[in-house]
Each structure stands twice: as structure tokens, then as C-alpha cells.
Amino acid sequence: MDKKTIRDIDVSNKKVLVRCDFNVPQDENGNITDTRRIVGALPTIKYLLDHNAKVILCSHLGRPKGEVKKEFSLAPVQKELSKELGIEVKIADDIVGESAKALTQNMKVGEVVLLENVRFDKREEENDREFSKELASLADIYVNDAFGTAHRAHSSTAGVAEFLPAVSGFLIEKEIKFLGEALNNPVRPFVAILGGKKVSDKISVINNLLEKVDTLIIGGGMAYTFLKAKGLNIGSSICEEDKLDLAKELMKKAEEKNVQLLLPIDVNVAKEFDKDAESKIVDINSIEDGWQGLDIGPETISKYEEVLKNAKTIMWNGPLGVFEFEKFAVGTNKIAEMLGKLDATTVIGGGDSAAAVEKAGLADKMTHISTGGGASLEYLEGKVLPGIDCLENK
Ligand code: AMP
């Protein structure tokens, strides 16, 4: 079901409460080291200002755990926002208290007020109904534009929608469009690439994707549980012994569903888990005891590339090796480069795969990079995200 966006309602003269994701990284002096989340929120804010709204912004920052802690104040965000918007954004000392009420009561069209960190109140994460109501009482309309927290049912991400007309901003609209379309209405062949450390983190994702994709490529640490389940020696590669049966079941399901499931055919094995570890490329049948696979090998890369070059929709979540170590980032980088060159819809899950694509300087070559790691994973699991579910249907 399509969700209403800010384009679908009249915001003129209305106080609009926008839940943003201003959870920005900072250095020890509180300076923002990456402003992308703030810049990302600007289209929604500018649209509202251009359409004569009064804008109230809120977000969490870090984990203050329900207490007011100065180091988690949104004051640095207020400064950056003022700079970016070219107007003075005011900041309240609190979230729903006297300061917030005073600043939002007689707002004029074109004004922007930022509330303090919503997680300064422990009721936020409890999705406390009273707190949601107090937040809602500051505004006439609620807009959710924080995809990164859309999988959490908190007051500012979901609870508040009970009391106000609720629609999405442009960031959430984009996430639903690209993740949703790729997953539910893909142009085929549809190939998913899954990597990362553990099978256990991605069981539901694999299960859901097996219902949708034509090919599932598995790399990264989680591949070794599958390889061991197939009876191969994996040396001291990472493995979840208690998930071997499950891996067998998933491989059986792939067969039943006619999904091609690809595992590495050669790997770069290392003597130890270290960035400078002695390493060598070996065939998947020749991993010796005492060696661990930390990256996919060149033949695997070629095999994956063969499949990817014919794909029309590709979804990628999780690095294909220990990409933090340059020596073992080859597979992840090569696949990122390949995706960047393809004429297919390429959707990158948030978190590590997004970081890998950005690190390789290929972000603008992808169709969509999700802004939410946990949220995009839950989306891929086929779960309903509370922060999206609470919005009005078109
Ligand atoms: P995840 O959080 O599950 O997406 O996993 C990401 C992590 O998996 C990264 O920190 C990678 O270093 C790690 N990883 C990927 N491949 C391997 C591997 N073959 N062995 C150990 N860790 C790996």
C-alpha cells in the first residue's frame, strides 16, 4: 500500500512536526564529522518552507538513555542547519516542556524550531502514549523522514501518528520506492548478494529473499556455515555450528524454489585474523586446517560477475570479506565496482555494504543506497516497519 507523502497534503500555515535522523557522528569536541544526514533532510524541510509551513524538527542523537546529557545535545545540528538553510533555526531547551511550547506556540510561516534530543526523555523509547500526545500537541501534522529508526516503535517515530495526520517525507518515500519496488516488483533477473559475518543475523532475510529472487549469492563470513554444511573442510573460518542444519534447510528450500544459490568456489585464506596476515588463494575444496577464509577469491568474483552482468535488479547487503582490512577487501571492492558499471537497478542496504560502496567512491553510481542498516534489513526480512506502517495510506 502506498503511503501519503508531504505532496499529498496541504501544509500551508500548518505546524509540521518532522522526525528527522540527525544522529550525526561527532569528534571529541562535538564537531560534526559527517553532515550527510543533515544535508539529506534538507529537501523535505525546504519543500515545507516553500509551501508556507511552520517547521518543527525532532531527532535522537546517540544513546543518552532517557537522561539530559549535554554531549548528546542537538545544538551542533542547529548550527549546521542554520548554515545550510540560511535562516536562524531556533532550538528548544527541552522536547515537550516550557521551552518547546514557548517556541512553537506562536510560530510564523517560514520559521524552523528544533526540539532537543527526543531520547533525553525515557518515555520516547517506551513509546509512551502520554509523551506521544504531548509531542503531537505541538503540531498539526506529523511527517516521518527518519528511515534509520523506522523499524523502532518509539513515540517520535510511530506513537505520535495516533494523534496527527501522518505522512512521509522525501527520504522515507525514496526508501519505500526503491527497496519496496526491488523486493516486490523487480525487473528480472533479480539477484541478491548477501554477505556479512553471521548466518544467524540474516536467517529471515535469506528466507524472505528465497521467495523473491532468481539468484542468491552468498559471500562473507556466513558462507562458511553453508560450505561446512555441504561437507567441505573450512579450516578455522568463522562458522556457526548450531546453524548447520538450518543452512542445509535453506539450501534445500533454494532448490525447491528453483533459486540458484551461489557460494564461493575459491577463497583468500589467512593464517590469522589480521590485516597483514600471511594469506593465499585456494580452491574451496582445499582449505587446510589452521587457515581461515577472509575474502572471496578471483574465480568466485568472475563467477558472480557472470551472473550479475545479466541481472536487471540487484540488491546487496553485507560485505563479501573482511573489507576493513585492505588485503581482504578485494572481493567487496570488485563487486562494488562491477555494480557501479551495470545498467541495472542497484539497491544497496545500509550499514557495511553502504560504507564499502562509499569507501570505494562509487556511491553516485548506484540506483539507491539505503540510509538505514537495521531498518533496511528488517525491510528485506519482509517485516512491517512501525515508522512506515503508522503513516496514512494513499
Ligand atoms: P554484518 O555485521 O553481519 O553485516 O557483518 C559485517 C562484518 O562481517 C564485517 O565487519 C566484516 O569484516 C565481517 N566479515 C566478512 N567476511 C568475513 C569473513 N570471511 N570472516 C570473518 N568476518 C567476516
Side-chain angles (χ1 to χ4, degrees):
M1 186 70 83
D2 279 350
K3 294 292 179 183
K4 279 191 190 169
T5 78
I6 44 178
R7 270 188 285 261
D8 299 312
I9 50 163
D10 179 13
V11 297
S12 160
N13 260 308
K14 303 268 172 50
K15 285 195 260 185
V16 182
L17 174 69
V18 190
R19 174 50 155 105
C20 298
D21 180 0
F22 292 144
N23 187 26
V24 289
Q26 288 168 284
D27 65 17
E28 60 278 8
N29 300 318
N31 299 310
I32 299 171
T33 53
D34 184 343
T35 59
R36 273 177 299 180
R37 286 189 170 154
I38 296 173
V39 174
L42 296 176
T44 294
I45 300 171
K46 283 184 180 162
Y47 175 94
L48 293 170
L49 293 175
D50 287 346
H51 288 76
N52 302 319
K54 308 164 185 180
V55 180
I56 304 169
L57 303 173
C58 68
S59 174
H60 78 283
L61 175 65
R63 295 174 186 270
K65 300 201 170 131
E67 283 170 39
V68 179
K69 290 187 182 146
K70 205 171 162 277
E71 66 268 33
F72 295 111
S73 167
L74 283 169
V77 173
Q78 172 218 4
K79 285 200 195 77
E80 186 61 30
L81 269 174
S82 301
K83 202 169 95 192
E84 296 282 353
L85 290 168
I87 55 173
E88 201 216 331
V89 173
K90 294 176 188 151
I91 182 164
D93 295 335
D94 49 30
I95 314 154
V96 291
E98 290 313 312
S99 170
K101 282 184 192 145
L103 284 181
T104 55
Q105 208 153 38
N106 298 310
M107 281 178 86
K108 294 190 191 71
V109 165
E111 265 183 19
V112 181
V113 170
L114 174 64
L115 305 179
E116 249 309 355
N117 189 338
V118 283
R119 290 194 187 164
F120 280 177
D121 193 315
K122 73 176 184 22
R123 295 177 296 170
E124 158 70 2
E125 290 184 73
E126 293 164 358
N127 195 14
D128 179 89
R129 199 160 177 271
E130 213 31 60
F131 182 61
S132 302
K133 208 168 164 180
E134 285 175 41
L135 255 181
S137 72
L138 301 175
D140 307 307
I141 292 170
Y142 168 67
V143 173
N144 192 4
D145 214 18
F147 184 71
T149 46
H151 57 316
R152 310 263 181 240
H154 294 169
S155 282
S156 72
T157 63
V160 64
E162 187 190 333
F163 305 100
L164 290 176
V167 299
S168 82
F170 295 138
L171 285 176
I172 286 206
E173 180 191 31
K174 197 164 163 241
E175 296 281 358
I176 301 177
K177 178 172 153 55
F178 287 111
L179 287 175
E181 247 162 52
L183 209 54
N184 301 317
N185 196 17
V187 182
R188 293 184 181 276
F190 177 19
V191 180
I193 311 168
L194 283 185
K197 215 181 223 158
K198 296 178 175 170
V199 185
S200 49
D201 290 342
K202 303 222 165 109
I203 299 168
S204 314
V205 177
I206 300 172
N207 244 321
N208 192 34
L209 286 177
L210 285 176
E211 307 282 341
K212 319 236 177 211
V213 299
D214 300 296
T215 302
L216 180 61
I217 289 177
I218 294 191
M222 60 192 258
Y224 298 93
T225 303
F226 286 89
L227 292 165
K228 183 157 188 186
K230 284 181 76 168
L232 295 177
N233 185 20
I234 57 163
S236 40
S237 306
I238 185 170
C239 178
E240 288 169 280
E241 296 288 339
D242 60 336
K243 294 290 176 287
L244 291 172
D245 285 341
L246 177 90
K248 280 184 201 151
E249 269 170 47
L250 291 169
M251 287 189 280
K252 194 161 154 254
K253 179 170 173 180
E255 230 176 272
E256 284 163 9
K257 297 269 169 196
N258 245 331
V259 171
Q260 181 184 28
L261 193 144
L262 297 182
L263 291 165
I265 51 173
D266 64 342
V267 283
N268 193 359
V269 288
K271 266 280 185 204
E272 60 207 338
F273 190 87
D274 186 84
K275 70 176 178 28
D276 301 316
E278 181 192 344
S279 70
K280 58 182 180 184
I281 307 285
V282 296
D283 184 87
I284 207 64
N285 293 301
S286 312
I287 302 179
E288 297 158 72
D289 290 340
W291 293 77
Q292 54 185 301
L294 295 187
D295 197 5
I296 52 174
E299 286 187 29
T300 305
I301 295 171
S302 301
K303 186 175 158 197
Y304 290 178
E305 283 181 345
E306 272 311 298
V307 172
L308 290 169
K309 79 175 184 221
N310 296 315
K312 288 277 176 286
T313 305
I314 300 163
M315 209 169 231
W316 182 16
N317 198 301
L320 299 171
V322 183
F323 79 112
E324 296 91 336
F325 301 160
E326 206 147 324
K327 205 171 173 181
F328 305 106
V330 178
T332 302
N333 288 340
K334 288 258 186 225
I335 296 298
E337 275 166 34
M338 162 113 201
L339 294 196
K341 289 190 196 122
L342 290 178
D343 185 24
T345 300
T346 45
V347 181
I348 317 297
D352 281 335
S353 14
V357 167
E358 269 149 21
K359 205 171 147 203
L362 295 162
D364 59 346
K365 299 273 192 299
M366 306 299 164
T367 311
H368 177 64
I369 299 183
S370 177
T371 52
S376 70
L377 213 55
E378 290 202 17
Y379 206 97
L380 296 192
E381 288 175 5
K383 280 195 190 150
V384 173
L385 308 189
I388 292 177
D389 193 41
C390 70
L391 306 176
E392 289 175 18
N393 293 325
K394 270 196 183 169

